[in-house]
Amino acid sequence: MIAGWCDRQILAPMTFEGYCNSDLFENWVEQFLVPELNAGQLVVLDNASFHQSQRTQELIEQGASSLLFLPPYSPDLNKIEKFWARLKQYLGQTLNRFDLLWDAVDEAFRYMS
């Protein structure tokens, strides 16, 4: 799952199968995140290797937004990590009601948004 966090709301959520890499993250930024951003917004990313591509920076700046990287080893400053923890907790409590993980994730996003 990839998503943004803005004003205590999830932004541009996307689920995918497999693992995240620069190509997948850049596509998410271009197709999902940038269209949701307002000019002048600040996009804060942690230091995951797939966040640090030049293309990601260019896409965000083309959308008239700025990019800021958190200091290394600062998960307490990364507000979306708290959302992911709540999402995992919700999924742990409700997963047995669904046949497919995708359905459980969709329900969790609807419930938590």
Side-chain angles (χ1 to χ4, degrees):
M1 291 180 270
I2 303 176
W5 185 255
C6 183
D7 294 328
R8 298 181 181 180
Q9 301 236 346
I10 200 70
L11 180 71
M14 182 184 90
T15 57
F16 60 92
E17 190 171 334
Y19 61 93
C20 193
N21 59 29
S22 293
D23 290 337
L24 183 117
F25 188 74
E26 291 165 1
N27 286 329
W28 173 76
V29 168
E30 183 175 24
Q31 296 174 20
F32 294 90
L33 181 63
V34 169
E36 296 290 328
L37 295 176
N38 296 314
Q41 275 187 295
L42 178 64
V43 176
V44 179
L45 297 174
D46 64 22
N47 286 285
S49 60
F50 53 82
H51 288 163
Q52 298 178 20
S53 74
Q54 184 65 34
R55 177 92 173 116
T56 294
Q57 182 174 346
E58 291 168 359
L59 289 165
I60 290 170
E61 290 174 353
Q62 286 172 2
S65 296
S66 322
L67 179 60
L68 173 71
F69 285 98
L70 291 172
Y73 310 108
S74 56
D76 291 342
L77 298 176
N78 191 342
K79 298 213 178 248
I80 199 163
E81 292 301 332
K82 294 175 192 224
F83 172 79
W84 294 131
R86 288 189 357 256
L87 181 81
K88 289 176 189 176
Q89 180 182 25
Y90 181 82
L91 286 172
Q93 295 169 352
T94 61
L95 192 57
N96 62 348
R97 295 190 337 225
F98 299 91
D99 292 329
L100 299 173
L101 175 61
W102 302 112
D103 294 336
V105 170
D106 285 344
E107 168 67 21
F109 274 122
R110 279 193 295 276
Y111 176 79
M112 298 181 72
S113 295

